[in-house]
Amino acid sequence: MSATSNPFGQVLVALVTPMTADGEVDWPGVEKHIDNLISHGADGIVVTGTTGETSTLTDAEKLRLVEVGKSVSAGRASIITGGGSNETAHAIELYKASEKAGADGVMVVTPYYNKPTQAGVLTHFRMVADATDLPVILYDIPGRAGIEIKYETILRAAKHPNILAVKDAKGDLSEVSRVMNQTDLLYFAGDDANALPTLAIGGTGLIGVTANIAPAPYRTIVDAVNSNDLATATAAHRALEPLVRAIMTHVPGTVAAKYVLHGLGRIDSPRVRLPLVGPEDHEAAIIEDEMALVRDIAGVDLSRFRPDRNAAAGGALPKVAGTTR
């Protein structure tokens, strides 16, 4: 089989959406954050994904995030729009509009909540892929969507010329190997802890939450794997472990990432939109204890870490409600 060329990049950040204390998008903060990530090794930015709080963003905000991302990246990184919808018609419109706004690719999550059969999942993916000329990443995350993309469905979807990749948050690396043996699909780790394991079995890269805080070590891992230098990749993977644990295991990744980014002075507020709320006191204490174990990660100066539990408390109700069903 011919290898699929990669239009997405390898170190992709599942971008948090910086917000003001009252829950409005902090547009200057978005620009600053994206620029910082690209400057430190990210070659792809996924806006409006789960980590970007897509469920509570309006369609207008989603499209503006694509436009701002394109403007800031200025060709240095791909801008991929995530999210989608559990209504096929809405997803199609959103991705068509994202293409017009300049997106370089789309990431399509399995329809959540309504739990379609695999035939419905496949139809959803095919119709979205038919509606745009952009390359498509399928997003397999049964823990959030309530359904997985089964092996046979992935094989059938892979026949579509626009469907080029999978973001795997299922964590079944034996199935990933099986799919890669049968298709040309590119695989991206959707769980931060699985970035190196996925690369080690032939995956393409990662779409990471922790990369909001530290893209540089993920760049190190990817470059080392590309150079067949497993020792360097493993050392970076091990150094990242406590940071990944801090961000990914105690509260939703968005909440922890914003808490830490604010504590490092990288965003002006750790606010999230309801129903997400900032970490409660005991959760914040655990995150801070985990952060105390982080050592020598490029681009992360922990001597400047000043977490603010009060600023993070609660969640915001924005002025305009989102439109995701």
Side-chain angles (χ1 to χ4, degrees):
M1 293 183 185
S2 62
T4 302
S5 63
N6 174 13
F8 306 110
Q10 290 186 279
V11 179
L12 277 56
V13 180
L15 190 81
V16 301
T17 305
M19 292 175 184
T20 62
D22 60 358
E24 299 306 314
V25 177
D26 173 7
W27 293 106
V30 170
E31 293 185 17
K32 178 183 160 195
H33 187 45
I34 292 174
D35 185 60
N36 185 48
L37 295 172
I38 296 172
S39 300
H40 287 85
D43 56 9
I45 304 289
V46 179
V47 297
T48 78
T50 307
T51 306
E53 299 177 68
T54 186
S55 300
T56 47
L57 293 172
T58 66
D59 283 3
E61 287 170 332
K62 292 172 187 176
L63 297 175
R64 187 169 171 195
L65 280 161
V66 172
E67 291 166 354
V68 169
K70 283 294 283 187
S71 171
V72 173
S73 74
R76 296 176 295 158
S78 64
I79 303 297
I80 295 146
T81 190
S85 174
N86 63 340
E87 183 205 4
T88 306
H90 183 202
I92 286 169
E93 290 308 309
L94 202 51
Y95 289 127
K96 278 183 178 171
S98 297
E99 182 173 8
K100 285 201 182 95
D104 298 303
V106 299
M107 186 174 78
V108 187
V109 71
T110 39
Y112 40 86
Y113 186 68
N114 34 17
K115 292 182 88 167
T117 63
Q118 291 295 300
V121 171
L122 184 61
T123 302
H124 180 84
F125 288 150
R126 282 175 170 165
M127 291 191 74
V128 167
D130 281 344
T132 172
D133 291 329
L134 294 176
V136 174
I137 305 172
L138 305 183
Y139 188 8
D140 193 4
I141 182 162
R144 284 186 182 275
I147 52 171
E148 65 177 337
I149 317 174
K150 291 196 177 294
Y151 168 76
E152 295 79 11
T153 306
I154 297 174
L155 260 54
R156 293 170 75 188
K159 292 183 167 60
H160 194 291
N162 290 354
I163 295 175
L164 302 189
V166 177
K167 176 183 177 183
D168 178 71
K170 192 157 56 181
D172 182 349
L173 295 182
S174 61
E175 182 177 280
V176 172
S177 288
R178 190 178 172 208
V179 173
M180 287 195 297
N181 273 347
Q182 301 300 324
T183 72
D184 288 334
L185 289 171
L186 307 168
Y187 259 85
F188 293 90
D191 289 319
D192 290 4
N194 279 346
L196 178 56
T198 300
L199 288 160
I201 60 170
T204 299
L206 62 122
I207 301 175
V209 179
T210 309
N212 279 280
I213 293 141
Y218 288 105
R219 183 82 256 162
T220 297
I221 289 171
V222 164
D223 290 347
V225 170
N226 290 345
S227 303
N228 294 314
D229 180 1
L230 187 59
T232 297
T234 302
H237 166 83
R238 292 181 68 173
L240 276 167
E241 186 271 331
L243 181 62
V244 170
R245 196 169 63 244
I247 301 302
M248 301 304 293
T249 52
H250 306 296
V251 293
T254 307
V255 173
K258 283 189 169 183
Y259 186 65
V260 170
L261 285 167
H262 179 253
L264 291 167
R266 301 248 296 273
I267 58 175
D268 289 345
S269 168
R271 182 66 74 231
V272 289
R273 285 180 178 174
L274 286 161
L276 294 182
V277 293
E280 292 191 47
D281 220 46
H282 71 281
E283 295 165 334
I286 296 170
I287 292 169
E288 290 161 25
D289 287 347
E290 304 276 32
M291 290 298 295
L293 301 175
V294 177
R295 299 278 183 279
D296 301 325
I297 289 187
V300 182
D301 181 1
L302 288 170
S303 70
R304 303 174 61 116
F305 186 50
R306 303 286 184 272
D308 187 339
R309 298 183 190 181
N310 289 333
L317 276 176
K319 291 191 194 81
V320 180
T323 49
T324 300
R325 289 165 191 254

